[in-house]
Amino acid sequence: MNFTNKNVLITGGTTGIGLATAKEFIKAGANVWITGRNSENLENAATEINSSKLKTIVSDTSNLSNLSVLEQAFAEGGNKLDVLFLNAGIAVFSPIEEVTEADFDAQFNTNVKGHFFTLQKLIPHLAEGSSVIFTSSTVATAANLGTSIYSATKGALNKIAQIAANELAGRKIRVNIVSPGPVSTPGLHKVVPEEAKEYLAGATAMQRLGDPAEIAKTVLFLSSDDASFITGTELLADGGYINFALK
Ligand SMILES: NC(=O)c1ccc[n+]([C@@H]2O[C@H](COP(=O)([O-])OP(=O)(O)OC[C@H]3O[C@@H](n4cnc5c(N)ncnc54)[C@H](OP(=O)(O)O)[C@@H]3O)[C@@H](O)[C@H]2O)c1
C-alpha cells in the first residue's frame, strides 16, 4: 500500500498496536506523528523506528489542554491530516463490585473522552478525502466477565464513530472502527495473567493471539483508497474470536 507523503497522526503510538501501525505507515512512505504520555516512551519508540519521517508529541489524550497542545504542534507546520488513528487506550479488569471511581474515570477519560476530543480538535485539520479510524474491541460485542467499564467505553466509541461518519461524510472524510480481538501487546500482557492469555488464544478460531502488525495492516487497509466505499463500519480483526467464543 502506498501512503507516500501522506500525513498520519496516531494517538498512543509508543507501544503495541499504535507502534506497529506507525512502523507500517512509515514503510508505506507516510509522515507519521505519534503521541504518548511521556517523552521517555516516545524516545524509545523513535529509536526503534529510526526514521526522519517520524515525529513525536507528548500529549495525554485524557487531558483537554494537552489536546490543544497536540493540535498546535501538528498544525504549526501548516500540515493537513490524511489519516487520524485514534488508538490510545487503557484497560482495568475487575468484577463490578471491585470497580473504583478512579478506574471508571480513567478508562472513560482515556478511551472515550480522549478519542472524542482528539477528533473534535483535529476536525479542522482533516484533509478532504481523509480517513479516521477509531480503536474499539471485540469486547464491545462480547460480554466478558470483569470487563464492564472497559467494554462500555468501547461500546460508546462505536456509537460516536458511526455518528462521526455521518457528520463528516459531506467533507468526503471516512470514519471507521477497527476492533481487535486479543492481541499480544504490552498493554494486554500488563492486565491479563498468563493462564487467561491461554484461554483468550483458545477462544479464537485460529487458536492464537494476534500480532500487532496484523491490526496495523487492517488500519492501513481501512485508511487506503482500497476502502473508498467503506465508512461507519466496524471491522473485526480477531482471528475469529467473536464467532468462535460465542458459538
Ligand atoms: N491488545 C489487545 O488485545 C487489544 C484488543 C482490543 C483493543 N485494543 C485496543 O487497542 C489500543 C492499543 O492497545 P495496546 O494493546 O496496543 O496497548 P499498549 O501496548 O498498552 O499501548 C497503549 C498505547 O496508548 C498510549 N496511552 C495510554 N494512555 C494514554 C493517554 N492517556 N494519553 C496518550 N497515550 C496514552 C500508551 O502510551 P504511553 O504509555 O507511552 O503513554 C501506548 O502507546 C487500545 O485502545 C486498546 O483498548 C487492544
Side-chain angles (χ1 to χ4, degrees):
M1 239 162 253
N2 188 351
F3 285 89
T4 303
N5 294 331
K6 298 287 185 194
N7 293 328
V8 177
L9 193 147
I10 300 173
T11 66
T14 60
T15 60
I17 291 167
L19 176 64
T21 309
K23 287 179 184 169
E24 289 297 328
F25 272 117
I26 293 225
K27 261 198 263 172
N31 305 310
V32 176
W33 285 255
I34 58 170
T35 75
R37 286 167 290 188
N38 65 73
S39 50
E40 192 187 338
N41 289 355
L42 285 164
E43 276 162 26
N44 289 340
T47 304
E48 196 171 326
I49 289 180
N50 189 24
S51 167
S52 59
K53 285 184 156 293
L54 182 80
K55 292 169 195 67
T56 62
I57 303 172
V58 177
S59 171
D60 181 337
T61 203
S62 65
N63 178 316
L64 253 68
S65 55
N66 277 212
L67 293 181
S68 297
V69 172
L70 170 66
E71 183 201 355
Q72 279 162 15
F74 176 76
E76 68 191 7
N79 298 301
K80 280 283 181 192
L81 256 187
D82 299 294
V83 179
L84 172 59
F85 179 37
L86 298 164
N87 167 74
I90 56 167
V92 183
F93 296 144
S94 49
I96 289 171
E97 296 95 312
E98 291 171 22
V99 173
T100 65
E101 185 180 6
D103 295 339
F104 185 104
D105 288 346
Q107 289 175 93
F108 266 91
N109 287 345
T110 303
N111 301 359
V112 182
K113 191 174 149 194
H115 271 55
F116 181 86
F117 284 104
T118 305
L119 173 63
Q120 186 194 67
K121 293 265 180 214
L122 292 172
I123 280 177
H125 306 290
L126 289 170
E128 186 172 305
S130 58
S131 180
V132 179
I133 314 289
F134 280 60
T135 308
S136 183
S137 167
T138 45
V139 301
T141 306
N144 298 335
L145 305 181
T147 72
S148 56
I149 303 308
Y150 179 67
S151 300
T153 67
K154 298 302 188 180
L157 271 191
N158 285 6
K159 190 49 74 184
I160 293 169
Q162 289 162 3
I163 292 166
N166 292 339
E167 291 191 6
L168 297 174
R171 285 180 52 201
K172 299 189 170 41
I173 296 166
R174 294 183 300 105
V175 183
N176 288 296
I177 303 157
V178 63
S179 276
V183 178
S184 181
T185 64
L188 180 105
H189 295 302
K190 198 160 64 191
V191 295
V192 175
E194 207 52 50
E195 62 280 8
K197 269 180 238 162
E198 277 169 37
Y199 168 78
L200 285 175
T204 68
M206 298 176 94
Q207 299 291 294
R208 65 173 176 85
L209 298 179
D211 186 277
E214 294 176 295
I215 310 306
K217 286 173 183 156
T218 309
V219 173
L220 265 73
F221 164 67
L222 282 174
S223 309
S224 74
D225 289 343
D226 289 351
S228 56
F229 198 49
I230 301 178
T231 196
T233 204
E234 180 187 12
L235 182 49
L236 303 183
D238 70 345
Y241 174 82
I242 282 294
N243 293 330
F244 193 74
L246 303 182
K247 75 183 185 296

